[in-house]
Every structure is written in structure tokens, then in C-alpha cells.
Amino acid sequence: MDSDELISQLHELGIDVPKGTLRRWASEGLIKGPEPEGRKGKRGRFMSWHSKTVEQAAAIYIIRGSYGPKKKIKSLLAVKELVDRFYAIVNEFRDTENPEVLEKLDKMLVPGKSAEGTKGYMYGSSEIHSPFITYIVTLEKIRGNKPLFEPITVVFSWNYHLVRDEDGRESFKLRYDGVSFKDSAENAVSRHVGYTPEAFEKLHGRKPTDWEKEKEEGKVITFDKDTDWSNVQVDVANQQIIIKDPKKNEFRVIDLKKSGLRILSSSEWAEIEKNSQ
């Protein structure tokens, strides 16, 4: 596409960027620049922008609007490099279906602290984590035809599928099932690893729980910032969560051993932090 077509597509997304700015971003390496293209029946040298430039330019525009136009080029290039690495790993798994490939995504996470002072694991570093999330979410909003300036959670999903060979023997195969979206108050990127309904029923002998329905019916326990954690105990040795209902003076035990989830001990967390540094 030529420059006018690029500007037109960005305008349709609600973004207006001058040609000079796009050329500067391309020279800085922030977006994929135009390449020479031969046009049948015409003389001369024509430059054509890649289709991916639209979503890259949109991501840079939104990051600049969210975190300030003076965001250092070095930081923006680091964000772009991390985004490229993230998708390279996703594509590598799609090509190989090797579960060990997903460990590379885990290694992209490092211990850090948010602007609000909350400790946790972040992509790349505390400095580039938020722009990284904004970049990923912007790309997926465009690809999924979602409103560009409304917050959403992007969920990358991997599920174990029940597969059968030519002899009818059954096994479980982890496959990439693409991206889905969830309403949220802020932009976020999430990774889900689970089972298809068929695989879950085969493994557990029952159909998977409809969490949203059971939450509405009051059958699901949720935790938030207002939770009284004095009524919650964690038994790492037995992999159980014990919750006390102070009104009824009753206890509910959640056994994680068959859930696919696991509580990590303090020493295990320390080992993870050590290996990620």
C-alpha cells in the first residue's frame, strides 16, 4: 500500500498520523518501513508499506499517547523486540506443538514492581511491562475487530485435546486455540492452559464447571481486595485451601491436587525468583 492508503487505514481506526511522522518512525525502526515495489506497465521506483505497518503504527501511537510522546526510542524498541519474541514463541508452539516451548514464555517474566508499588511478575522489566501489554492488546484488538480505545483482556489459550490414532487409542494433545477476549476495567494480557470440554470429561469423569453460572448462583468463592484473609488458610503440604465462614462457623476445603493447579511454598518462589534473575 502507498502512504495515502496507510494513512487512510489508520484514520479508519481513529488514528491520524502525518506522513512525516510515519517516515520518522520507520527510520527509527519502530515500524516496518516501505520497500521498493515494481508496478507492471509503469516506469520508476515505487515504495510500498507492509500491511503489518498499520497495527504497528497504531500500537506506537497509543503507547505514545498513554505514556507520553517523549518515551525513549530505546525503550520503545525494547518493547517491540519483546512483542516480536512473544509472538515468535507462540508461532513456534503452533508449528511444533511441543509443550516445552511454552516455558520460553515463562522465562520472559521477571520479578518487578508496578507504578503503584505492587510486587509481581512482569514482562521484560517494570519499565516496559505496561507498554508491552498495550502493544499486544492493540494488535489483537485490530485483528479481532474490537474497539481500539476501550479496555479489554486478551487471552491466549492452549488446551489439551482428546485425540485418537488410527487404532482408536486415545491420548491428550496440547494445542494452541488462538485468542479470545474478556471484558475488563483495564487492558491486560492473560495466558490460559486447560482442557477442551471433551478432554476434561474424559480425564475427570464429569463435565467442566460453568464458572460464570455458578458464580451467579453463589456456588463459587471469589477473592478480591476486600477479602478477610484471616478466614483463609493455605495448606501447602496437602495442597489445600481452607476457608472459614465466620457467620456459620463452618469450613470449606478446596483440594487442588486434581485441579491442575498447585500452591508454591516460599522456598519454591525464592527458587523461581533466583532462576529468573
mmCIF file of all heavy atoms in Angstrom, residues 62-107:
data_model
loop_
_atom_site.group_PDB
_atom_site.id
_atom_site.type_symbol
_atom_site.label_atom_id
_atom_site.label_comp_id
_atom_site.label_asym_id
_atom_site.label_seq_id
_atom_site.Cartn_x
_atom_site.Cartn_y
_atom_site.Cartn_z
ATOM 1 N N ILE A 62 -0.646 4.696 20.270
ATOM 2 C CA ILE A 62 -1.365 4.567 21.543
ATOM 3 C C ILE A 62 -0.397 4.557 22.719
ATOM 4 O O ILE A 62 -0.657 5.160 23.768
ATOM 5 C CB ILE A 62 -2.247 3.305 21.534
ATOM 6 C CG1 ILE A 62 -3.389 3.498 20.533
ATOM 7 C CG2 ILE A 62 -2.811 3.019 22.930
ATOM 8 C CD1 ILE A 62 -4.279 2.306 20.361
ATOM 9 N N ILE A 63 0.746 3.906 22.569
ATOM 10 C CA ILE A 63 1.750 3.913 23.643
ATOM 11 C C ILE A 63 2.241 5.338 23.884
ATOM 12 O O ILE A 63 2.346 5.784 25.041
ATOM 13 C CB ILE A 63 2.937 2.996 23.289
ATOM 14 C CG1 ILE A 63 2.506 1.528 23.367
ATOM 15 C CG2 ILE A 63 4.114 3.244 24.242
ATOM 16 C CD1 ILE A 63 3.553 0.552 22.875
ATOM 17 N N ARG A 64 2.501 6.061 22.811
ATOM 18 C CA ARG A 64 2.957 7.440 22.954
ATOM 19 C C ARG A 64 1.874 8.291 23.637
ATOM 20 O O ARG A 64 2.171 9.167 24.447
ATOM 21 C CB ARG A 64 3.302 8.010 21.577
ATOM 22 C CG ARG A 64 4.685 7.558 21.073
ATOM 23 C CD ARG A 64 5.692 8.644 21.351
ATOM 24 N NE ARG A 64 7.058 8.185 21.220
ATOM 25 C CZ ARG A 64 7.777 8.296 20.109
ATOM 26 N NH1 ARG A 64 7.245 8.774 19.015
ATOM 27 N NH2 ARG A 64 9.033 7.902 20.108
ATOM 28 N N GLY A 65 0.602 8.015 23.307
ATOM 29 C CA GLY A 65 -0.479 8.774 23.922
ATOM 30 C C GLY A 65 -0.683 8.431 25.382
ATOM 31 O O GLY A 65 -1.065 9.280 26.195
ATOM 32 N N SER A 66 -0.385 7.172 25.754
ATOM 33 C CA SER A 66 -0.604 6.718 27.126
ATOM 34 C C SER A 66 0.560 7.039 28.046
ATOM 35 O O SER A 66 0.372 7.339 29.226
ATOM 36 C CB SER A 66 -0.851 5.205 27.139
ATOM 37 O OG SER A 66 -1.984 4.864 26.369
ATOM 38 N N TYR A 67 1.774 6.957 27.511
ATOM 39 C CA TYR A 67 2.955 7.089 28.365
ATOM 40 C C TYR A 67 3.807 8.302 28.022
ATOM 41 O O TYR A 67 4.906 8.463 28.538
ATOM 42 C CB TYR A 67 3.805 5.805 28.268
ATOM 43 C CG TYR A 67 3.021 4.581 28.607
ATOM 44 C CD1 TYR A 67 2.521 3.756 27.605
ATOM 45 C CD2 TYR A 67 2.734 4.248 29.934
ATOM 46 C CE1 TYR A 67 1.776 2.630 27.914
ATOM 47 C CE2 TYR A 67 1.984 3.136 30.245
ATOM 48 C CZ TYR A 67 1.510 2.329 29.230
ATOM 49 O OH TYR A 67 0.759 1.225 29.528
ATOM 50 N N GLY A 68 3.292 9.149 27.133
ATOM 51 C CA GLY A 68 3.989 10.388 26.825
ATOM 52 C C GLY A 68 4.777 10.312 25.538
ATOM 53 O O GLY A 68 5.400 9.290 25.241
ATOM 54 N N PRO A 69 4.772 11.386 24.743
ATOM 55 C CA PRO A 69 5.483 11.399 23.458
ATOM 56 C C PRO A 69 6.995 11.335 23.594
ATOM 57 O O PRO A 69 7.691 11.060 22.633
ATOM 58 C CB PRO A 69 5.038 12.737 22.839
ATOM 59 C CG PRO A 69 4.674 13.602 24.018
ATOM 60 C CD PRO A 69 4.084 12.659 25.030
ATOM 61 N N LYS A 70 7.488 11.598 24.801
ATOM 62 C CA LYS A 70 8.937 11.586 24.999
ATOM 63 C C LYS A 70 9.461 10.227 25.450
ATOM 64 O O LYS A 70 10.604 10.119 25.891
ATOM 65 C CB LYS A 70 9.337 12.661 26.022
ATOM 66 C CG LYS A 70 9.076 14.088 25.530
ATOM 67 C CD LYS A 70 9.567 15.115 26.534
ATOM 68 C CE LYS A 70 9.327 16.539 26.023
ATOM 69 N NZ LYS A 70 9.800 17.551 26.984
ATOM 70 N N LYS A 71 8.601 9.196 25.359
ATOM 71 C CA LYS A 71 9.061 7.851 25.695
ATOM 72 C C LYS A 71 10.300 7.523 24.866
ATOM 73 O O LYS A 71 10.312 7.676 23.642
ATOM 74 C CB LYS A 71 7.952 6.837 25.384
ATOM 75 C CG LYS A 71 8.223 5.428 25.902
ATOM 76 C CD LYS A 71 8.096 5.355 27.402
ATOM 77 C CE LYS A 71 8.266 3.930 27.902
ATOM 78 N NZ LYS A 71 8.257 3.858 29.365
ATOM 79 N N LYS A 72 11.378 7.118 25.509
ATOM 80 C CA LYS A 72 12.648 6.927 24.837
ATOM 81 C C LYS A 72 12.554 5.891 23.731
ATOM 82 O O LYS A 72 11.904 4.857 23.882
ATOM 83 C CB LYS A 72 13.706 6.498 25.858
ATOM 84 C CG LYS A 72 14.042 7.577 26.881
ATOM 85 C CD LYS A 72 15.104 7.079 27.858
ATOM 86 C CE LYS A 72 15.437 8.149 28.893
ATOM 87 N NZ LYS A 72 16.436 7.664 29.874
ATOM 88 N N ILE A 73 13.215 6.200 22.599
ATOM 89 C CA ILE A 73 13.226 5.284 21.459
ATOM 90 C C ILE A 73 13.774 3.931 21.876
ATOM 91 O O ILE A 73 13.265 2.881 21.479
ATOM 92 C CB ILE A 73 14.082 5.853 20.301
ATOM 93 C CG1 ILE A 73 13.525 7.196 19.838
ATOM 94 C CG2 ILE A 73 14.128 4.867 19.141
ATOM 95 C CD1 ILE A 73 12.127 7.134 19.304
ATOM 96 N N LYS A 74 14.791 3.946 22.728
ATOM 97 C CA LYS A 74 15.407 2.699 23.178
ATOM 98 C C LYS A 74 14.387 1.822 23.890
ATOM 99 O O LYS A 74 14.342 0.598 23.678
ATOM 100 C CB LYS A 74 16.581 3.007 24.113
ATOM 101 C CG LYS A 74 17.350 1.786 24.559
ATOM 102 C CD LYS A 74 18.542 2.182 25.421
ATOM 103 C CE LYS A 74 19.313 0.947 25.885
ATOM 104 N NZ LYS A 74 20.481 1.321 26.749
ATOM 105 N N SER A 75 13.544 2.432 24.733
ATOM 106 C CA SER A 75 12.517 1.672 25.452
ATOM 107 C C SER A 75 11.465 1.125 24.495
ATOM 108 O O SER A 75 11.024 -0.017 24.617
ATOM 109 C CB SER A 75 11.845 2.549 26.511
ATOM 110 O OG SER A 75 12.762 2.919 27.513
ATOM 111 N N LEU A 76 11.055 1.952 23.529
ATOM 112 C CA LEU A 76 10.048 1.512 22.557
ATOM 113 C C LEU A 76 10.580 0.368 21.703
ATOM 114 O O LEU A 76 9.848 -0.574 21.379
ATOM 115 C CB LEU A 76 9.632 2.687 21.676
ATOM 116 C CG LEU A 76 8.835 3.796 22.366
ATOM 117 C CD1 LEU A 76 8.623 4.966 21.408
ATOM 118 C CD2 LEU A 76 7.503 3.265 22.867
ATOM 119 N N LEU A 77 11.850 0.428 21.332
ATOM 120 C CA LEU A 77 12.452 -0.661 20.557
ATOM 121 C C LEU A 77 12.534 -1.935 21.389
ATOM 122 O O LEU A 77 12.352 -3.041 20.866
ATOM 123 C CB LEU A 77 13.842 -0.258 20.068
ATOM 124 C CG LEU A 77 13.878 0.819 18.977
ATOM 125 C CD1 LEU A 77 15.322 1.246 18.699
ATOM 126 C CD2 LEU A 77 13.224 0.308 17.699
ATOM 127 N N ALA A 78 12.800 -1.780 22.701
ATOM 128 C CA ALA A 78 12.840 -2.941 23.588
ATOM 129 C C ALA A 78 11.457 -3.581 23.694
ATOM 130 O O ALA A 78 11.325 -4.808 23.735
ATOM 131 C CB ALA A 78 13.350 -2.533 24.971
ATOM 132 N N VAL A 79 10.421 -2.739 23.751
ATOM 133 C CA VAL A 79 9.041 -3.247 23.791
ATOM 134 C C VAL A 79 8.737 -4.019 22.514
ATOM 135 O O VAL A 79 8.204 -5.130 22.557
ATOM 136 C CB VAL A 79 8.042 -2.085 23.965
ATOM 137 C CG1 VAL A 79 6.611 -2.589 23.782
ATOM 138 C CG2 VAL A 79 8.197 -1.448 25.338
ATOM 139 N N LYS A 80 9.053 -3.433 21.374
ATOM 140 C CA LYS A 80 8.785 -4.086 20.081
ATOM 141 C C LYS A 80 9.531 -5.410 19.982
ATOM 142 O O LYS A 80 8.993 -6.412 19.491
ATOM 143 C CB LYS A 80 9.202 -3.162 18.936
ATOM 144 C CG LYS A 80 8.876 -3.717 17.549
ATOM 145 C CD LYS A 80 9.230 -2.714 16.468
ATOM 146 C CE LYS A 80 8.887 -3.255 15.089
ATOM 147 N NZ LYS A 80 9.685 -4.457 14.746
ATOM 148 N N GLU A 81 10.791 -5.426 20.440
ATOM 149 C CA GLU A 81 11.575 -6.669 20.394
ATOM 150 C C GLU A 81 10.928 -7.744 21.249
ATOM 151 O O GLU A 81 10.879 -8.925 20.875
ATOM 152 C CB GLU A 81 13.006 -6.388 20.874
ATOM 153 C CG GLU A 81 13.969 -7.547 20.682
ATOM 154 C CD GLU A 81 13.928 -8.562 21.828
ATOM 155 O OE1 GLU A 81 13.585 -8.154 22.955
ATOM 156 O OE2 GLU A 81 14.233 -9.752 21.584
ATOM 157 N N LEU A 82 10.408 -7.348 22.423
ATOM 158 C CA LEU A 82 9.774 -8.310 23.329
ATOM 159 C C LEU A 82 8.468 -8.832 22.726
ATOM 160 O O LEU A 82 8.150 -10.016 22.846
ATOM 161 C CB LEU A 82 9.507 -7.641 24.678
ATOM 162 C CG LEU A 82 9.305 -8.577 25.880
ATOM 163 C CD1 LEU A 82 10.579 -9.358 26.164
ATOM 164 C CD2 LEU A 82 8.892 -7.778 27.122
ATOM 165 N N VAL A 83 7.716 -7.938 22.089
ATOM 166 C CA VAL A 83 6.478 -8.351 21.418
ATOM 167 C C VAL A 83 6.786 -9.351 20.309
ATOM 168 O O VAL A 83 6.115 -10.387 20.180
ATOM 169 C CB VAL A 83 5.734 -7.122 20.846
ATOM 170 C CG1 VAL A 83 4.607 -7.552 19.915
ATOM 171 C CG2 VAL A 83 5.181 -6.265 21.975
ATOM 172 N N ASP A 84 7.800 -9.064 19.513
ATOM 173 C CA ASP A 84 8.187 -9.973 18.433
ATOM 174 C C ASP A 84 8.598 -11.338 18.988
ATOM 175 O O ASP A 84 8.271 -12.382 18.411
ATOM 176 C CB ASP A 84 9.345 -9.381 17.622
ATOM 177 C CG ASP A 84 8.929 -8.164 16.794
ATOM 178 O OD1 ASP A 84 7.713 -7.994 16.590
ATOM 179 O OD2 ASP A 84 9.813 -7.394 16.369
ATOM 180 N N ARG A 85 9.313 -11.313 20.123
ATOM 181 C CA ARG A 85 9.735 -12.579 20.733
ATOM 182 C C ARG A 85 8.532 -13.360 21.252
ATOM 183 O O ARG A 85 8.467 -14.578 21.116
ATOM 184 C CB ARG A 85 10.718 -12.296 21.872
ATOM 185 C CG ARG A 85 11.281 -13.570 22.511
ATOM 186 C CD ARG A 85 12.636 -13.386 23.161
ATOM 187 N NE ARG A 85 12.853 -12.145 23.825
ATOM 188 C CZ ARG A 85 13.072 -12.037 25.151
ATOM 189 N NH1 ARG A 85 13.031 -13.104 25.922
ATOM 190 N NH2 ARG A 85 13.327 -10.869 25.692
ATOM 191 N N PHE A 86 7.567 -12.659 21.849
ATOM 192 C CA PHE A 86 6.356 -13.305 22.364
ATOM 193 C C PHE A 86 5.636 -14.045 21.244
ATOM 194 O O PHE A 86 5.301 -15.241 21.365
ATOM 195 C CB PHE A 86 5.448 -12.251 22.989
ATOM 196 C CG PHE A 86 4.177 -12.788 23.585
ATOM 197 C CD1 PHE A 86 4.108 -13.128 24.931
ATOM 198 C CD2 PHE A 86 3.035 -12.956 22.810
ATOM 199 C CE1 PHE A 86 2.942 -13.626 25.491
ATOM 200 C CE2 PHE A 86 1.859 -13.455 23.348
ATOM 201 C CZ PHE A 86 1.807 -13.785 24.700
ATOM 202 N N TYR A 87 5.407 -13.359 20.128
ATOM 203 C CA TYR A 87 4.675 -13.989 19.021
ATOM 204 C C TYR A 87 5.505 -15.077 18.338
ATOM 205 O O TYR A 87 4.943 -16.050 17.820
ATOM 206 C CB TYR A 87 4.236 -12.940 18.011
ATOM 207 C CG TYR A 87 3.000 -12.192 18.435
ATOM 208 C CD1 TYR A 87 3.080 -10.883 18.900
ATOM 209 C CD2 TYR A 87 1.745 -12.794 18.409
ATOM 210 C CE1 TYR A 87 1.950 -10.193 19.312
ATOM 211 C CE2 TYR A 87 0.608 -12.110 18.816
ATOM 212 C CZ TYR A 87 0.720 -10.812 19.270
ATOM 213 O OH TYR A 87 -0.416 -10.135 19.677
ATOM 214 N N ALA A 88 6.835 -14.927 18.342
ATOM 215 C CA ALA A 88 7.691 -15.964 17.768
ATOM 216 C C ALA A 88 7.545 -17.267 18.555
ATOM 217 O O ALA A 88 7.514 -18.365 17.972
ATOM 218 C CB ALA A 88 9.149 -15.504 17.761
ATOM 219 N N ILE A 89 7.435 -17.157 19.874
ATOM 220 C CA ILE A 89 7.264 -18.348 20.712
ATOM 221 C C ILE A 89 5.887 -18.966 20.480
ATOM 222 O O ILE A 89 5.744 -20.193 20.378
ATOM 223 C CB ILE A 89 7.457 -17.992 22.201
ATOM 224 C CG1 ILE A 89 8.896 -17.553 22.456
ATOM 225 C CG2 ILE A 89 7.112 -19.188 23.094
ATOM 226 C CD1 ILE A 89 9.130 -16.949 23.828
ATOM 227 N N VAL A 90 4.853 -18.112 20.395
ATOM 228 C CA VAL A 90 3.501 -18.618 20.108
ATOM 229 C C VAL A 90 3.494 -19.365 18.779
ATOM 230 O O VAL A 90 2.928 -20.467 18.669
ATOM 231 C CB VAL A 90 2.483 -17.455 20.078
ATOM 232 C CG1 VAL A 90 1.120 -17.951 19.581
ATOM 233 C CG2 VAL A 90 2.343 -16.841 21.470
ATOM 234 N N ASN A 91 4.142 -18.798 17.762
ATOM 235 C CA ASN A 91 4.183 -19.437 16.444
ATOM 236 C C ASN A 91 5.026 -20.707 16.459
ATOM 237 O O ASN A 91 4.709 -21.675 15.752
ATOM 238 C CB ASN A 91 4.726 -18.455 15.402
ATOM 239 C CG ASN A 91 3.757 -17.323 15.122
ATOM 240 O OD1 ASN A 91 2.542 -17.480 15.257
ATOM 241 N ND2 ASN A 91 4.288 -16.171 14.739
ATOM 242 N N GLU A 92 6.102 -20.699 17.265
ATOM 243 C CA GLU A 92 6.932 -21.897 17.373
ATOM 244 C C GLU A 92 6.120 -23.050 17.956
ATOM 245 O O GLU A 92 6.199 -24.189 17.485
ATOM 246 C CB GLU A 92 8.162 -21.630 18.238
ATOM 247 C CG GLU A 92 9.084 -22.846 18.356
ATOM 248 C CD GLU A 92 10.267 -22.617 19.273
ATOM 249 O OE1 GLU A 92 10.456 -21.471 19.746
ATOM 250 O OE2 GLU A 92 11.006 -23.595 19.554
ATOM 251 N N PHE A 93 5.313 -22.748 18.990
ATOM 252 C CA PHE A 93 4.479 -23.814 19.551
ATOM 253 C C PHE A 93 3.457 -24.290 18.522
ATOM 254 O O PHE A 93 3.198 -25.484 18.395
ATOM 255 C CB PHE A 93 3.748 -23.352 20.806
ATOM 256 C CG PHE A 93 2.833 -24.416 21.363
ATOM 257 C CD1 PHE A 93 3.302 -25.341 22.268
ATOM 258 C CD2 PHE A 93 1.513 -24.523 20.929
ATOM 259 C CE1 PHE A 93 2.477 -26.358 22.738
ATOM 260 C CE2 PHE A 93 0.685 -25.524 21.389
ATOM 261 C CZ PHE A 93 1.171 -26.443 22.303
ATOM 262 N N ARG A 94 2.864 -23.367 17.779
ATOM 263 C CA ARG A 94 1.856 -23.737 16.794
ATOM 264 C C ARG A 94 2.461 -24.687 15.755
ATOM 265 O O ARG A 94 1.797 -25.610 15.283
ATOM 266 C CB ARG A 94 1.306 -22.482 16.115
ATOM 267 C CG ARG A 94 0.174 -22.803 15.155
ATOM 268 C CD ARG A 94 -0.607 -21.591 14.714
ATOM 269 N NE ARG A 94 0.051 -20.321 14.886
ATOM 270 C CZ ARG A 94 -0.618 -19.180 15.050
ATOM 271 N NH1 ARG A 94 -1.934 -19.196 15.089
ATOM 272 N NH2 ARG A 94 0.024 -18.046 15.179
ATOM 273 N N ASP A 95 3.748 -24.456 15.412
ATOM 274 C CA ASP A 95 4.405 -25.297 14.409
ATOM 275 C C ASP A 95 4.838 -26.646 14.966
ATOM 276 O O ASP A 95 4.798 -27.659 14.265
ATOM 277 C CB ASP A 95 5.620 -24.568 13.834
ATOM 278 C CG ASP A 95 5.236 -23.336 13.027
ATOM 279 O OD1 ASP A 95 4.082 -23.272 12.558
ATOM 280 O OD2 ASP A 95 6.085 -22.435 12.878
ATOM 281 N N THR A 96 5.265 -26.657 16.244
ATOM 282 C CA THR A 96 5.845 -27.879 16.815
ATOM 283 C C THR A 96 4.907 -28.625 17.756
ATOM 284 O O THR A 96 5.062 -29.834 17.947
ATOM 285 C CB THR A 96 7.129 -27.544 17.584
ATOM 286 O OG1 THR A 96 6.806 -26.709 18.721
ATOM 287 C CG2 THR A 96 8.131 -26.819 16.688
ATOM 288 N N GLU A 97 3.970 -27.900 18.393
ATOM 289 C CA GLU A 97 3.092 -28.457 19.432
ATOM 290 C C GLU A 97 3.911 -29.162 20.526
ATOM 291 O O GLU A 97 3.515 -30.188 21.068
ATOM 292 C CB GLU A 97 2.044 -29.399 18.836
ATOM 293 C CG GLU A 97 1.032 -28.670 17.967
ATOM 294 C CD GLU A 97 -0.157 -29.514 17.557
ATOM 295 O OE1 GLU A 97 -0.064 -30.763 17.629
ATOM 296 O OE2 GLU A 97 -1.180 -28.927 17.164
ATOM 297 N N ASN A 98 5.048 -28.548 20.845
ATOM 298 C CA ASN A 98 5.915 -29.062 21.906
ATOM 299 C C ASN A 98 5.648 -28.266 23.183
ATOM 300 O O ASN A 98 5.954 -27.062 23.237
ATOM 301 C CB ASN A 98 7.379 -28.920 21.483
ATOM 302 C CG ASN A 98 8.346 -29.417 22.546
ATOM 303 O OD1 ASN A 98 7.940 -29.892 23.611
ATOM 304 N ND2 ASN A 98 9.628 -29.306 22.271
ATOM 305 N N PRO A 99 5.077 -28.895 24.229
ATOM 306 C CA PRO A 99 4.744 -28.164 25.465
ATOM 307 C C PRO A 99 5.930 -27.437 26.089
ATOM 308 O O PRO A 99 5.751 -26.417 26.760
ATOM 309 C CB PRO A 99 4.226 -29.269 26.393
ATOM 310 C CG PRO A 99 3.714 -30.324 25.477
ATOM 311 C CD PRO A 99 4.659 -30.302 24.291
ATOM 312 N N GLU A 100 7.149 -27.931 25.885
ATOM 313 C CA GLU A 100 8.318 -27.289 26.469
ATOM 314 C C GLU A 100 8.559 -25.901 25.896
ATOM 315 O O GLU A 100 9.214 -25.065 26.535
ATOM 316 C CB GLU A 100 9.559 -28.170 26.252
ATOM 317 C CG GLU A 100 9.507 -29.495 27.013
ATOM 318 C CD GLU A 100 10.758 -30.319 26.818
ATOM 319 O OE1 GLU A 100 11.666 -29.851 26.098
ATOM 320 O OE2 GLU A 100 10.833 -31.430 27.370
ATOM 321 N N VAL A 101 8.030 -25.636 24.716
ATOM 322 C CA VAL A 101 8.194 -24.313 24.108
ATOM 323 C C VAL A 101 7.552 -23.238 24.978
ATOM 324 O O VAL A 101 8.047 -22.105 25.065
ATOM 325 C CB VAL A 101 7.581 -24.294 22.688
ATOM 326 C CG1 VAL A 101 7.536 -22.865 22.130
ATOM 327 C CG2 VAL A 101 8.395 -25.193 21.760
ATOM 328 N N LEU A 102 6.436 -23.582 25.659
ATOM 329 C CA LEU A 102 5.733 -22.596 26.482
ATOM 330 C C LEU A 102 6.576 -22.126 27.663
ATOM 331 O O LEU A 102 6.312 -21.061 28.228
ATOM 332 C CB LEU A 102 4.411 -23.174 26.989
ATOM 333 C CG LEU A 102 3.371 -23.505 25.910
ATOM 334 C CD1 LEU A 102 2.068 -23.937 26.543
ATOM 335 C CD2 LEU A 102 3.142 -22.306 25.004
ATOM 336 N N GLU A 103 7.590 -22.909 28.038
ATOM 337 C CA GLU A 103 8.476 -22.487 29.120
ATOM 338 C C GLU A 103 9.223 -21.208 28.748
ATOM 339 O O GLU A 103 9.622 -20.430 29.607
ATOM 340 C CB GLU A 103 9.468 -23.604 29.451
ATOM 341 C CG GLU A 103 8.802 -24.861 30.023
ATOM 342 C CD GLU A 103 9.794 -25.969 30.291
ATOM 343 O OE1 GLU A 103 11.020 -25.730 30.137
ATOM 344 O OE2 GLU A 103 9.361 -27.074 30.652
ATOM 345 N N LYS A 104 9.390 -20.976 27.449
ATOM 346 C CA LYS A 104 10.060 -19.759 26.996
ATOM 347 C C LYS A 104 9.230 -18.527 27.330
ATOM 348 O O LYS A 104 9.785 -17.454 27.595
ATOM 349 C CB LYS A 104 10.328 -19.827 25.496
ATOM 350 C CG LYS A 104 11.271 -20.942 25.070
ATOM 351 C CD LYS A 104 11.479 -20.937 23.559
ATOM 352 C CE LYS A 104 12.405 -22.065 23.123
ATOM 353 N NZ LYS A 104 12.609 -22.057 21.653
ATOM 354 N N LEU A 105 7.898 -18.667 27.310
ATOM 355 C CA LEU A 105 7.038 -17.549 27.700
ATOM 356 C C LEU A 105 7.190 -17.261 29.189
ATOM 357 O O LEU A 105 7.189 -16.103 29.605
ATOM 358 C CB LEU A 105 5.578 -17.864 27.378
ATOM 359 C CG LEU A 105 5.202 -17.927 25.895
ATOM 360 C CD1 LEU A 105 3.736 -18.303 25.740
ATOM 361 C CD2 LEU A 105 5.477 -16.599 25.202
ATOM 362 N N ASP A 106 7.323 -18.321 29.989
ATOM 363 C CA ASP A 106 7.517 -18.134 31.432
ATOM 364 C C ASP A 106 8.821 -17.385 31.714
ATOM 365 O O ASP A 106 8.883 -16.553 32.629
ATOM 366 C CB ASP A 106 7.536 -19.486 32.147
ATOM 367 C CG ASP A 106 6.204 -20.203 32.064
ATOM 368 O OD1 ASP A 106 5.173 -19.516 31.978
ATOM 369 O OD2 ASP A 106 6.190 -21.446 32.069
ATOM 370 N N LYS A 107 9.843 -17.661 30.919
ATOM 371 C CA LYS A 107 11.147 -17.037 31.153
ATOM 372 C C LYS A 107 11.152 -15.559 30.768
ATOM 373 O O LYS A 107 12.085 -14.830 31.126
ATOM 374 C CB LYS A 107 12.228 -17.789 30.371
ATOM 375 C CG LYS A 107 12.499 -19.187 30.929
ATOM 376 C CD LYS A 107 13.546 -19.924 30.119
ATOM 377 C CE LYS A 107 13.794 -21.320 30.692
ATOM 378 N NZ LYS A 107 14.784 -22.081 29.896
#
